[in-house]
Amino acid sequence: MVTTISTQEPSRERDAGPLFQPYRLGPFNLPHRVVMAPLTRSRARQPGNVPGSLAACYYAQRASAALIVSEATQVSMQGQGYAWTSGIHSREQVEAWRRITDAVHQSAGLMFCQLWHVGRISHPALQPDNMLPVAPSAIIPAGKAFIENERGEGTLVPFVRPRALDIEEMPYVVAQYVRAAKNAVAADFDGVEIHAANGYLLDQFIESGTNRRNDTYGGPVENRARLLFEIVEALTPIWGPDRIGVRISPMGKLNDIGDQNPEATFGYVAERLSEYELAYLHMVNPALEQMQNAKDPDPRALAMAKLVRKKFKGTLIAAGGFDAESGARWLREGWADLIAFGRKFIANPDLPERLRLSAELNTDDPSTYYGGGEKGYTDYPSLAQDRGEQPKPCVDQSWR
């Protein structure tokens, strides 16, 4: 199934450049700066959206990352937006996550749980009692929802008009994150990341294109960002600021999101978040689209990245579109402190070693990104496995 691509000699070791310098992240000493980005894989066990035992193998295989940020994990039933995604709001889910973090820790890894509420990017078929998805404002997003049909298959259906949250419901939304954060403690994660990016609920509040409210959660950016800061403040007594990260996506377009003045909006958000002395701010690369297509970053996108870097005084993780060379350049230029890789980690469980050695990279199979079992999930080999130095990848059904 696996093919390889390479533009360099596989045996030639890259010198220990910026990607392989140690780094102090809150209370953690990281051996290098290659982070595993959150990756939705839609393989949770049903019923109950419980992460399966195979996930323990998957994450343990990738424990050589300086930090693993878990797949986006819904904080409540209301927070779900895709079929077969894992939650962290039930006892069974917490117990399953504990088995995963145990496997990661036994492999000397570090893992944060990404806390997720999708807001309007959902469908009644995914909601408790077939209720409407919620949002800051009742605006239908463009695109389609990924749900399970009556035959148990994944299918795409049009989004519906969401219900605008009442102001009285805001404490309940915060409480969902509080419960999830406490559950992440019980599951023995090393920290949590608040997902405020990619057009999901907190991003929907932050960006003007999806927030038309006229109360204290709408209008000026100070109001639109209020819910995010309330959640940060509510989680701080649980985890401490140095074990909390936040993810944002300035100038992102995913899930029909947009803002009239992203520089002002995300400059404010980054500056305010800096005051909390968090573990990190995780920025989806504003130049993601250009860099994925091997083009020079758009000047405005690069300026946005530099603005966030200037406004946020703590650790900045940049994710999206990076290879070894571009990641090293961003570190050298001071545009980021850590670089997160997503799709490259799907197919290369030992990605840090491959980058360090300039080794061949396994090619990922997009048809296996979402749903399914071990194919395209735990069957990608490491270099050590290719050399016969370690057992073959986890492909047997006993992990289920």
Side-chain angles (χ1 to χ4, degrees), residues 18-320:
L19 279 171
F20 300 98
Q21 297 298 315
Y23 188 80
R24 179 77 175 181
L25 178 70
F28 307 109
N29 291 314
L30 307 185
H32 55 79
R33 304 191 185 204
V34 178
V35 172
M36 179 176 167
L39 294 159
T40 296
R41 305 304 307 274
S42 292
R43 281 168 164 83
R45 190 173 71 243
Q46 303 302 317
N49 292 316
V50 179
S53 297
L54 198 64
C57 173
Y58 168 77
Y59 282 112
Q61 286 176 334
R62 290 152 179 81
S64 64
L67 167 68
I68 295 174
V69 183
S70 80
E71 61 205 73
T73 305
Q74 56 253 17
V75 298
S76 65
M77 294 174 68
Q78 184 190 71
Q80 183 179 2
Y82 302 83
W84 316 318
T85 53
S86 298
I88 191 161
H89 51 83
S90 75
R91 179 177 298 178
E92 190 177 11
Q93 290 165 350
V94 172
E95 291 173 351
W97 277 117
R98 179 61 183 258
R99 290 192 289 271
I100 293 167
T101 60
D102 282 350
V104 170
H105 293 152
Q106 287 168 12
S107 298
L110 182 70
M111 189 172 187
F112 276 35
C113 181
Q114 191 188 58
L115 306 181
W116 188 35
H117 192 308
V118 302
R120 68 178 188 161
I121 305 301
S122 188
H123 189 274
L126 298 164
Q127 293 289 306
D129 300 322
N130 295 108
M131 295 187 295
L132 289 174
V134 299
S137 303
I139 303 170
I140 304 175
K144 294 184 177 182
F146 180 64
I147 69 169
E148 182 178 348
N149 63 22
E150 62 277 2
R151 297 183 299 276
E153 303 163 338
T155 189
L156 294 171
V157 295
F159 286 120
V160 301
R161 187 177 300 279
R163 175 180 67 81
L165 284 159
D166 293 330
I167 194 168
E168 292 81 8
E169 295 179 274
M170 296 306 176
Y172 170 67
V173 174
V174 175
Q176 293 177 41
Y177 283 86
V178 168
R179 179 180 62 181
K182 291 179 178 178
N183 285 344
V185 173
D188 202 25
F189 280 96
D190 299 294
V192 292
E193 177 178 289
I194 300 168
H195 196 343
N198 297 343
Y200 298 118
L201 182 67
L202 299 182
D203 200 19
Q204 292 161 28
F205 270 91
I206 290 168
E207 303 211 35
S208 61
T210 43
N211 187 337
R212 309 287 173 80
R213 302 176 72 93
N214 55 15
D215 58 17
T216 53
Y217 290 88
V221 63
E222 293 83 359
N223 287 353
R224 302 197 311 271
R226 185 184 304 275
L227 182 59
L228 169 60
F229 297 127
E230 288 179 347
I231 291 168
V232 170
E233 291 169 6
L235 268 53
T236 296
I238 301 168
W239 275 101
D242 60 355
R243 290 175 182 256
I244 297 173
V246 173
R247 195 179 212 217
I248 61 172
S249 53
M251 295 179 64
K253 299 176 183 178
L254 187 64
N255 290 321
D256 195 24
I257 201 74
D259 190 84
Q260 291 180 333
N261 189 344
E263 288 83 1
T265 293
F266 288 97
Y268 171 79
V269 169
E271 189 169 39
R272 277 291 313 277
L273 286 173
S274 190
E275 298 172 5
Y276 291 95
E277 299 184 349
L278 301 175
Y280 61 82
L281 179 61
H282 189 173
M283 175 183 64
V284 178
N285 182 2
L288 167 65
E289 187 174 343
Q290 296 94 39
M291 290 177 63
Q292 280 183 334
N293 294 309
K295 298 179 180 178
D296 290 334
D298 176 80
R300 187 182 181 193
L302 190 55
M304 171 63 82
K306 293 178 180 179
L307 174 66
V308 171
R309 164 83 283 182
K310 178 181 178 182
K311 295 291 186 178
F312 187 77
K313 306 302 182 185
T315 296
L316 181 65
I317 304 175

